[in-house]
Amino acid sequence: ETGVTQSPTHLIKTRGQQVTLRCSSQSGHNTVSWYQQALGQGPQFIFQYYREEENGRGNFPPRFSGLQFPNYSSELNVNALELDDSALYLCASRAGTGIGYTFGSGTRLTVV
Amino acid sequence: DQQVKQNSPSLSVQEGRISILNCDYTNSMFDYFLWYKKYPAEGPTFLISISSIKDKNEDGRFTVFLNKSAKHLSLHIVPSQPGDSAVYFCAAGTASKLTFGTGTRLQVTL
């Protein structure tokens, strides 16, 4: 399987709810990162997983959590959604020795 | 704390001419730098990278220059084509994360 696939593409949630976003990476891509991109901004690093362990985290509160699975899929979970969580969420993956990450097309989350 | 900055939000260049996109950074610990291109409704697409120990990397029409003393990198596109019109992000990397700039919108006109 080639490329990075994210689901869903669009999502509307109510403030206070919880959401799970999903990502399917290329076979062999054992490093996966998640980014939040607000309108007019560059992607902001949320966290990274390598072989199912978190090995890096940006300035996001603990209500942002993740999982990586052995089949190269991963999840981003956000609890207690706030209006400011409305953004494009990007998943990116790479093979362990690579430099360039391959990005998915993102999930557009709207919190109302 | 904006560690990676792209000070030009937009750039317009005529087809066939050179496009130069600039990026500044503040953290000396970055190991490598990358440029990504992004079209609307798509994820960023990797263009070209450069290790912190190099000062130039070339791939076809794209060349990235790194000036470590000035903490500055640039992307040159020669010749520019209408299909190059997109938002370009520079990113700086360590082992565990990428830090992105805010992007420059390039418009290549006929």
Side-chain angles (χ1 to χ4, degrees):
Chain A
E1 180 182 350
T2 60
V4 177
T5 305
Q6 292 187 242
S7 63
T9 55
H10 295 84
L11 195 57
I12 300 175
K13 289 290 210 178
T14 302
R15 189 172 51 183
Q17 283 187 314
Q18 179 267 343
V19 69
T20 297
L21 309 183
R22 293 182 171 84
C23 174
S24 178
S25 302
Q26 290 180 223
S27 179
H29 279 203
N30 51 19
T31 299
V32 65
S33 303
W34 284 87
Y35 292 81
Q36 179 195 68
Q37 186 177 13
L39 207 59
Q41 300 295 316
Q44 297 292 311
F45 175 72
I46 302 175
F47 45 60
Q48 177 169 288
Y49 280 78
Y50 174 66
R51 293 184 174 177
E52 301 158 52
E53 297 283 335
E54 184 180 295
N55 74 340
R57 189 174 183 91
N59 295 325
F60 281 82
R63 58 190 185 84
F64 286 77
S65 63
L67 285 171
Q68 184 187 24
F69 303 101
N71 65 351
Y72 305 109
S73 66
S74 63
E75 291 180 353
L76 164 65
N77 298 288
V78 187
N79 293 321
L81 283 166
E82 301 177 359
L83 296 179
D84 284 349
D85 295 333
S86 296
L88 179 69
Y89 288 85
L90 294 162
C91 168
S93 68
R94 69 174 188 190
T97 56
I99 290 181
Y101 288 77
T102 301
F103 279 80
S105 297
T107 294
R108 172 72 62 186
L109 173 65
T110 302
V111 182
V112 297
Chain B
D1 178 23
Q2 192 71 32
Q3 294 190 45
V4 178
K5 296 181 184 180
Q6 293 176 257
N7 292 317
S8 298
S10 64
L11 175 68
S12 183
V13 173
Q14 250 184 337
E15 181 182 12
R17 307 292 288 266
I18 183 171
S19 295
I20 300 176
L21 296 101
N22 294 302
C23 180
D24 297 295
Y25 63 95
T26 57
N27 188 345
S28 301
M29 302 303 291
F30 291 126
D31 298 316
Y32 57 94
F33 303 88
L34 313 94
W35 284 93
Y36 280 85
K37 177 168 77 171
K38 188 177 187 302
Y39 295 117
E42 294 183 13
T45 302
F46 170 71
L47 273 177
I48 191 168
S49 66
I50 187 167
S51 164
S52 61
I53 62 172
K54 300 279 183 75
D55 55 19
K56 178 182 175 181
N57 188 27
E58 190 172 355
D59 184 1
R61 297 187 298 115
F62 302 93
T63 303
V64 56
F65 295 92
L66 175 63
N67 183 332
K68 287 190 70 176
S69 61
K71 294 190 174 66
H72 177 84
L73 68 154
S74 61
L75 174 68
H76 292 210
I77 306 174
V78 183
S80 300
Q81 300 173 353
D84 296 329
S85 297
V87 178
Y88 288 77
F89 291 98
C90 70
T94 63
S96 60
K97 67 181 283 188
L98 288 179
T99 303
F100 282 83
T102 52
T104 296
R105 181 175 301 278
L106 173 65
Q107 181 72 38
V108 179
T109 59
L110 298 173

